[in-house]
Amino acid sequence: KQEVTQIPAALSVPEGENLVLNCSFTDSAIYNLQWFRQDPGKGLTSLLLIQSSQREQTSGRLNASLDKSSGRSTLYIAASQPGDSATYLCAVAFFGNEKLTFGTGTRLTIIP
Amino acid sequence: EPEVTQTPSHQVTQMGQEVILRCVPISNHLYFYWYRQILGQKVEFLVSFYNNEISEKSEIFDDQFSVERPDGSNFTLKIRSTKLEDSAMYFCASSLLAGVPDTQYFGPGTRLTVL
């Protein structure tokens, strides 16, 4: 079964620190992997998309990496700010599917 | 910047009633999707729609659900006879490229509460 897992479920970090969020997936045959941000009770904001042929993508203070062979992706956030507090979701487009398969997310709290 | 919009933001209905959730995808996008998120759970895929027909659906998307693109801009999800367990946040998404999964852009969601 194609699944996406995110550990830990919650993370608290002091402001200014760099941090890494983890995502793992069960099948290396993927089209792409997308990281989203979700604020409480709100929609999903796309942060970064990594195609299966890419190793990483960067946007501002965010850097996402992809290691297909090990079924892992990381989202690196540099110099964290209180405004980064949100739930971060990882979603994978597996081969043979048009849908995104989501992880349960990591709830990030940045402590001022 | 173009965005996906959804209406209403919150819908309250009685069990057994029909509801229609509306979405306006990004104007030049070709693929449309519905997902849902029950409170505290994962975002789950419901259905994808391309070229005026369903291209993929999950086991959640049973006969109680239907989708339609009634005109050139709207994309709707209908639930014929709502159940308590249909209470969830429903997200519409759209993507540009056909045939190859592309960045999916999500709307703000409609919170459906079934009483």
Side-chain angles (χ1 to χ4, degrees), chain B residues 34-100:
Chain B
W34 284 101
Y35 292 80
R36 79 173 184 189
Q37 186 179 33
I38 296 170
L39 188 62
Q41 297 187 23
K42 288 185 182 186
V43 177
E44 302 172 290
F45 169 78
L46 293 178
V47 66
S48 60
F49 191 86
Y50 170 67
N51 201 25
N52 284 319
E53 59 184 28
I54 291 173
S55 53
E56 186 177 350
K57 62 181 181 178
S58 72
E59 59 271 15
I60 302 169
F61 194 87
D62 61 21
D63 292 344
Q64 292 299 311
F65 292 89
S66 63
V67 289
E68 191 178 31
R69 188 155 163 83
D71 54 41
S73 60
N74 289 286
F75 178 51
T76 62
L77 174 69
K78 181 193 290 187
I79 309 175
R80 287 189 183 81
S81 178
T82 50
K83 305 179 186 121
L84 295 176
E85 54 265 36
D86 293 328
S87 293
M89 182 78 96
Y90 287 80
F91 294 108
C92 174
S94 69
S95 62
L96 174 60
L97 295 180
V100 175

Side-chain angles (χ1 to χ4, degrees), chain A residues 24-37:
Chain A
S24 61
F25 45 96
T26 53
D27 186 348
S28 61
I30 69 171
Y31 290 117
N32 57 52
L33 182 146
Q34 202 165 345
W35 282 93
F36 292 88
R37 169 185 172 134

Side-chain angles (χ1 to χ4, degrees), chain A residues 41-80:
Chain A
K42 302 293 185 183
L44 306 176
T45 302
S46 179
L47 298 173
L48 289 164
L49 173 80
I50 310 180
Q51 300 291 354
S52 64
S53 58
Q54 297 174 319
R55 296 298 298 268
E56 63 180 89
Q57 280 285 344
T58 299
S59 176
R61 293 184 295 109
L62 305 180
N63 176 278
S65 69
L66 175 64
D67 183 344
K68 259 194 329 179
S69 60
S70 66
R72 291 183 184 177
S73 175
T74 61
L75 179 67
Y76 174 85
I77 302 177
S80 57

Side-chain angles (χ1 to χ4, degrees), chain A residues 7-27:
Chain A
I7 296 173
L11 181 66
S12 292
V13 174
E15 180 179 359
E17 285 199 1
N18 304 325
L19 61 100
V20 173
L21 305 179
N22 297 297
C23 172
S24 61
F25 45 96
T26 53
D27 186 348

